[in-house]
Amino acid sequence: MKNTQENKQIGRLVIVAYRLPFKIVREGEGVNLFQNSGGLVSAVLSLVGDGAQNPIVSGDKIQWIGYADNSPEELEGLSLENDSFKAHPVFIPDDVNENYYEGFCNDLIWPLCHYFPTHARFDDAYFQAYQQANELFFEKLDEIIQPGDIVWVQDYQLMLLPQMIRKKHPDVKVGFFFHIPFPSYELFRMLPVQWRKAIVEGIIGADLVGFHTNDYVEYFLKAVRMVLGHGNKLHYINLSNRIVKIDSFPISIDFNKFNDAYTDPEVVKERELARDMLKEKIIFSVDRLDYSKGILHRLYGFERFLEENPNWHGRVAFVMVVVPSRDTIDRYQQMKSEIDQTVGRINADYGNINWQPIIYQYRSMTFAELVGMYSTSDVALITPVRDGMNLVCKEYVASRQDKHGVLILSEMAGAAAELGEALIINPLDKQNIADSIKLALDMPIEEQEKRMKVMRSRIREYDVFAWTNDFFTQITMIEQEHEKLKQVFLTDQGIGEIRDAYRASKNRILFFDYDGTLAPIVADPAKAIVSREVKQLISTFAESDTVVIISGRDRHFLSELFLDLPVHIIAEHGALIKAKGSSEWVLNESYEENWKESIQPIMDLYAKRCPGAVVEEKETSLAWHYRTAEDREYATRRAQELVWQLKNYIQPELNLQIIDGNKVVEVKKTAFNKGTAAKDLVETGSYDFIMAMGDDKTDEDMFIELPDTAYTIKVGDMLSAARAHLRSQEEVFSFLSKIKD
Ligand code: GDG
């Protein structure tokens, strides 16, 4: 990593998050900064300074932009920095912040993303404030940004910011991380059209967008596809002038901090204190007061366990700590009183003078108390009904240096994807919770150790430092990817170089795509006809060179157009080949039939529902065309749905690929493409000049497969693996004339 950066200016790391990394407290003339010990703070610290494993960013202090609840006057003239961070406070007027943070963020996005749409409030004033606040963050960033800086934007409070940065500072590297679940499209689409558009556009202003799990990545990609019509290839979204990578980065914790704390005297003291007080087996949970954390469901599950297992009465205590949060809000107050009542009821029903089944505390804990409880509890019961990741479960595992203890974890937490050795439960199923509690309490020590060992080594390996490192390595790789895909538009000099090489060579092969390259793209595909001049030019080339027309069109269309020319024709993306001078079409040998009957009905159905769209059955593929659709926007949405459905439907063993082309969705066998077909031809001769031209996504296969010495030319400005670009199809004639001149 170091080498690739050596000659580049390494910039500063700029974090933008709703909160600053420390609390600012005025004291007389000065100020006290109380640094948070949160995961993100220690994670980003690992990127700078002497301990940094990865000099992606400079060793300068981390610049951190965040909201300050102090007034501007209060902080005027004060230096807000400590050894590691320099803070740049953003001041948001109270009324705006109310609608922005309490409103749009916590009263709409939070419930929607945690699958509580009934709690979501859609208020125009909220969205207005959200835009305003994001702009205030941007203004602050705009004041301090320098060339080479890497900006890392955090979470759902700042979804519009990446795009704002991209517009004004197109070359700045921007990462975005989403800490909560990204919901399935059915939920996301509940947002008003303009809002969801602004959100998706805002987020993909970044170069790299991170989520905790692959599911969230998939949901987001679908939102991008449905809302903006941008498809993706694996993890990449190809916008016309840049690519965005969307990937999963499961956030983690500082494993060593929790592991080492086991022997910390304060933690030891807390552990002994807990053990002195509680002789029973201990079940423990800790979370913020929030409906997403499943606190009530957990209580119902524990109640069911008590009901069914009288032998455990008096022998188990459930220590449930709820950390105060947002409890001035009605919904949270109500939830709190429901929790209070439920705990009271269970304790009254099952407890006795010597034993209280639930020890409930509504307070926050010190770090020593927390790890003391983690490391002494026999079971951690973590049951969110939805959680982006959930760090508490990872902390519990890391704190168990003794490898004892059992983790019960909700399948709705992002962490469940990584911690398969936990007892995984459905948090809404009280029987499932009750059964798992029993299983956990009865689990032999050897089994506990076996499970803990695997989970601990996984968290140790991918700790929060590996997480940050991974994210930043990916950002740098995107830059390299961009370099590779950079558009070089051909100038007279570039054209001159190709002409010289053409003239200096003897045995030449030239590949021409048809639609969008030799012929213009028009609404009716049947009317896309190559002009007389271009055809004449191709014919002149064919006198001295091997010319190949390579297209996705069927053989009849191409035969008719080029029958009189001495050229090779490749139809249906490489499936059918007719050699120069022959009248025989040869089917690619890897082609197998019998797949169309399962795909055609799906395409037909989509065509019926989309006026103007048609299904074309080619010999070796099926194509759903929507260039002729009456309502283009509607058809684009339908096309995206079709691609999505086909992707889910097509099993890998069918070896089919879906091509999301220019106003066409096409399904064909994977065994061949324009790339394999072009490569096969090149290998049959000893060519000293190879040129390939194309405008479509399918031409990329050709650009990639041909040798590096080939002159590959992309028509249009879409990112491409080709060496050079022409701006449009109209330039093709003049370009070819200059080469032949
Ligand atoms: C969001 C997403 C995602 C809690 N109470 C005390 C205390 N804590 C610490 C825990 C843990 C953290 O707070 C809670 O983290 P979670 O991940 O469980 O949940 P959220 O705060 O909702 O975080 C979540 C996370 O972002 C990261 O991306 O995992 O899904 O919702 O570290 O230890 N710490 C102390 N006393 C307490 O009373 N010392």
Side-chain angles (χ1 to χ4, degrees):
M1 192 52 55
K2 197 165 187 167
N3 289 342
T4 60
Q5 294 295 318
E6 244 159 29
N7 301 325
K8 295 214 165 174
Q9 183 186 2
I10 295 184
R12 304 169 307 170
L13 174 59
V14 183
I15 302 286
V16 194
Y18 179 68
R19 291 189 194 289
L20 286 170
F22 35 60
K23 193 166 175 47
I24 305 169
V25 179
R26 271 307 299 246
E27 246 189 33
E29 286 305 291
V31 69
N32 263 338
L33 307 174
F34 297 98
Q35 188 165 310
N36 303 332
S37 57
L40 185 65
V41 169
S42 39
V44 297
L45 279 175
S46 71
L47 284 165
V48 294
D50 296 341
Q53 304 157 359
N54 192 346
I56 288 167
V57 284
S58 72
D60 285 0
K61 282 184 187 174
I62 297 167
Q63 311 294 307
W64 194 304
I65 296 174
Y67 165 70
D69 49 11
N70 316 68
S71 68
E73 298 75 36
E74 211 183 325
L75 301 183
E76 197 166 357
L78 292 172
S79 154
L80 302 173
E81 53 191 295
N82 61 14
D83 291 346
S84 322
F85 297 105
K86 181 168 170 58
H88 304 273
V90 176
F91 302 102
I92 307 177
D94 287 347
D95 54 332
V96 177
N97 196 46
E98 177 75 21
N99 278 332
Y100 157 59
Y101 186 68
E102 300 301 341
F104 195 82
C105 296
N106 291 338
D107 214 11
L108 171 62
I109 298 298
W110 179 273
L112 207 60
C113 289
H114 287 87
Y115 292 69
F116 284 88
T118 47
H119 291 8
R121 195 167 148 206
F122 300 82
D123 185 334
D124 287 342
Y126 283 1
F127 185 61
Q128 242 177 17
Y130 189 72
Q131 287 173 306
Q132 253 175 298
N134 272 253
E135 269 155 26
L136 290 172
F137 279 89
F138 175 69
E139 280 166 22
K140 182 54 72 183
L141 179 79
D142 199 28
E143 281 171 24
I144 67 147
I145 193 98
Q146 290 175 9
D149 285 351
I150 297 188
V151 184
W152 195 9
V153 181
Q154 304 292 326
D155 225 358
Y156 65 102
Q157 297 90 356
L158 296 166
M159 296 184 282
L160 308 183
L161 187 61
Q163 178 71 355
M164 293 175 177
I165 306 172
R166 180 68 49 213
K167 273 197 183 144
K168 178 111 187 255
H169 303 279
D171 296 328
V172 165
K173 274 190 260 148
V174 182
F176 178 81
F177 196 84
F178 201 77
H179 288 262
I180 63 174
F182 194 89
S184 87
Y185 188 63
E186 287 317 306
L187 268 283
F188 188 72
R189 74 190 312 170
M190 292 177 83
L191 288 170
V193 177
Q194 288 314 317
W195 301 8
R196 64 191 191 206
K197 194 159 173 264
I199 288 174
V200 175
E201 257 170 5
I203 294 177
I204 62 168
D207 297 288
L208 177 64
V209 181
F211 296 91
H212 290 309
T213 70
N214 289 331
D215 282 350
Y216 308 155
V217 167
E218 203 173 300
Y219 299 153
F220 180 70
L221 286 172
K222 177 157 183 183
V224 176
R225 183 182 283 277
M226 303 305 274
V227 174
L228 300 178
H230 300 308
N232 61 292
K233 193 164 183 187
L234 301 172
H235 290 287
Y236 295 96
I237 299 173
N238 190 339
L239 303 174
S240 66
N241 55 354
R242 60 194 188 90
I243 50 170
V244 185
K245 184 168 191 189
I246 317 291
D247 210 344
S248 63
F249 302 87
I251 201 171
S252 195
I253 54 163
D254 180 348
F255 180 89
N256 288 335
K257 179 172 152 193
F258 285 88
N259 185 50
D260 298 349
Y262 190 83
T263 48
D264 179 296
E266 267 190 72
V267 171
V268 174
K269 199 176 100 205
E270 289 297 338
R271 195 161 53 231
E272 282 166 359
L273 205 65
R275 270 296 154 210
D276 279 351
M277 301 300 293
L278 296 167
K279 302 296 174 215
E280 304 94 336
K281 287 235 178 189
I282 301 173
I283 301 173
F284 177 60
S285 78
V286 54
D287 15 39
R288 270 186 313 104
L289 179 70
D290 196 277
Y291 45 81
S292 66
K293 300 290 180 186
I295 301 172
L296 276 167
H297 297 91
R298 186 181 311 162
L299 288 170
Y300 300 145
F302 183 62
E303 184 179 27
R304 174 66 62 87
F305 165 78
L306 292 177
E307 191 185 319
E308 292 182 346
N309 296 282
N311 59 324
W312 276 103
H313 293 189
R315 294 169 53 217
V316 64
F318 175 17
V319 179
M320 186 174 91
V321 180
V322 176
V323 180
S325 169
R326 304 182 194 166
D327 54 6
T328 51
I329 298 170
D330 277 356
R331 174 164 289 119
Y332 285 74
Q333 262 170 18
Q334 260 173 35
M335 185 180 27
K336 161 111 186 2
S337 53
E338 239 181 296
I339 294 169
D340 294 351
Q341 281 168 22
T342 312
V343 170
R345 183 172 52 73
I346 298 173
N347 276 343
D349 284 355
Y350 292 93
N352 58 42
I353 197 157
N354 301 313
W355 173 64
Q356 195 177 327
I358 305 173
I359 298 166
Y360 166 46
Q361 298 167 49
Y362 187 64
R363 63 169 181 109
S364 57
M365 304 171 92
T366 63
F367 178 72
E369 282 176 321
L370 183 73
V371 183
M373 276 315 292
Y374 281 151
S375 55
T376 198
S377 303
D378 301 281
V379 178
L381 183 55
I382 299 167
T383 62
V385 286
R386 223 28 98 156
D387 212 335
M389 172 54 70
N390 190 291
L391 296 178
V392 169
C393 59
K394 292 191 172 181
E395 292 167 1
Y396 174 66
V397 171
S399 305
R400 299 314 298 238
Q401 218 186 70
D402 59 351
K403 300 192 196 65
H404 292 179
V406 182
L407 173 64
I408 300 178
L409 178 61
S410 160
E411 62 186 358
M412 312 288 189
E418 288 172 86
L419 299 176
E421 294 75 14
L423 297 180
I424 304 288
I425 49 107
N426 171 353
L428 303 170
D429 180 347
K430 44 188 172 195
Q431 190 61 47
N432 194 198
I433 298 180
D435 293 345
S436 300
I437 294 176
K438 183 165 168 4
L439 205 64
L441 292 172
D442 287 334
M443 190 180 283
I445 285 290
E446 305 75 52
E447 179 68 18
Q448 296 182 20
E449 282 177 351
K450 200 171 98 192
R451 291 170 185 248
M452 270 293 173
K453 219 172 135 193
V454 185
M455 292 192 283
R456 282 169 58 79
S457 80
R458 205 172 293 133
I459 300 175
R460 180 187 276 129
E461 246 164 61
Y462 197 84
D463 63 4
V464 74
F465 308 114
W467 175 75
T468 3
N469 204 51
D470 190 5
F471 193 85
F472 275 83
T473 308
Q474 300 281 347
I475 284 206
T476 340
M477 279 166 66
I478 293 259
E479 202 190 3
Q480 289 163 7
E481 203 89 17
H482 268 145
E483 289 285 317
K484 253 198 322 207
L485 294 170
K486 221 177 189 166
Q487 300 140 309
V488 178
F489 288 100
L490 279 172
T491 55
D492 282 347
Q493 191 193 339
I495 297 174
E497 282 165 18
I498 300 178
R499 187 184 49 217
D500 294 345
Y502 179 83
R503 285 184 184 163
S505 55
K506 292 197 175 59
N507 198 10
R508 299 173 281 245
I509 185 162
L510 316 174
F511 294 90
F512 297 108
D513 161 54
Y514 183 70
D515 292 277
T517 304
L518 295 183
I521 298 277
V522 291
D524 180 357
K527 296 199 177 119
I529 302 300
V530 56
S531 70
R532 216 164 33 83
E533 295 86 348
V534 171
K535 198 169 164 190
Q536 178 55 45
L537 205 49
I538 297 294
S539 148
T540 326
F541 274 112
E543 284 166 19
S544 53
D545 311 326
T546 303
V547 172
V548 188
I549 307 295
I550 185 162
S551 166
R553 293 270 194 162
D554 68 37
R555 60 171 158 158
H556 306 293
F557 180 87
L558 295 169
S559 298
E560 219 165 278
L561 275 174
F562 295 101
L563 204 60
D564 50 335
L565 293 193
V567 295
H568 294 291
I569 306 179
I570 298 179
E572 301 200 7
H573 305 290
L576 289 155
I577 300 160
K578 188 176 83 64
K580 178 167 76 174
S582 158
S583 55
E584 289 269 308
W585 281 92
V586 181
L587 191 64
N588 187 307
E589 58 186 23
S590 10
Y591 185 73
E592 308 150 38
E593 257 308 337
N594 301 334
W595 59 271
K596 285 185 190 159
E597 54 267 36
S598 56
I599 305 294
Q600 178 130 20
I602 302 178
M603 286 196 167
D604 284 343
L605 199 69
Y606 271 80
K608 273 188 206 131
R609 288 205 230 125
C610 183
V614 287
V615 179
E616 180 192 3
E617 182 180 354
K618 300 189 194 176
E619 274 168 90
T620 61
S621 71
L622 284 171
W624 192 84
H625 294 278
Y626 59 102
R627 193 177 290 169
T628 45
E630 284 163 22
D631 181 342
R632 192 66 69 74
E633 213 172 289
Y634 172 77
T636 308
R637 279 208 306 276
R638 280 282 177 221
Q640 301 311 333
E641 262 180 53
L642 174 61
V643 170
W644 196 260
Q645 189 172 348
L646 289 171
K647 269 192 181 159
N648 289 333
Y649 176 77
I650 292 176
Q651 301 296 316
E653 51 276 15
L654 284 172
N655 290 323
L656 291 174
Q657 62 173 303
I658 303 159
I659 303 172
D660 186 5
N662 192 350
K663 305 279 179 289
V664 58
V665 175
E666 194 157 358
V667 177
K668 67 177 201 61
K669 281 275 174 188
T670 28
F672 48 83
N673 56 41
K674 285 187 179 182
T676 53
K679 195 167 157 226
D680 286 350
L681 262 182
V682 164
E683 281 169 1
T684 58
S686 49
Y687 297 104
D688 55 359
F689 180 93
I690 305 168
M691 186 172 86
M693 298 183 71
D695 73 310
D696 197 22
K697 286 183 198 155
T698 57
D699 297 312
E700 292 299 313
D701 294 323
M702 186 162 66
F703 300 149
I704 291 165
E705 287 290 339
L706 287 173
D708 290 347
T709 48
Y711 293 93
T712 48
I713 297 160
K714 175 87 170 178
V715 180
D717 64 359
M718 290 291 279
L719 284 182
S720 168
R723 279 168 71 178
H725 288 247
L726 287 179
R727 286 191 195 278
S728 67
Q729 194 273 331
E730 287 89 62
E731 290 183 15
V732 171
F733 176 72
S734 110
F735 166 73
L736 290 177
S737 323
K738 285 179 189 158
I739 302 296
K740 198 62 194 165
D741 188 11

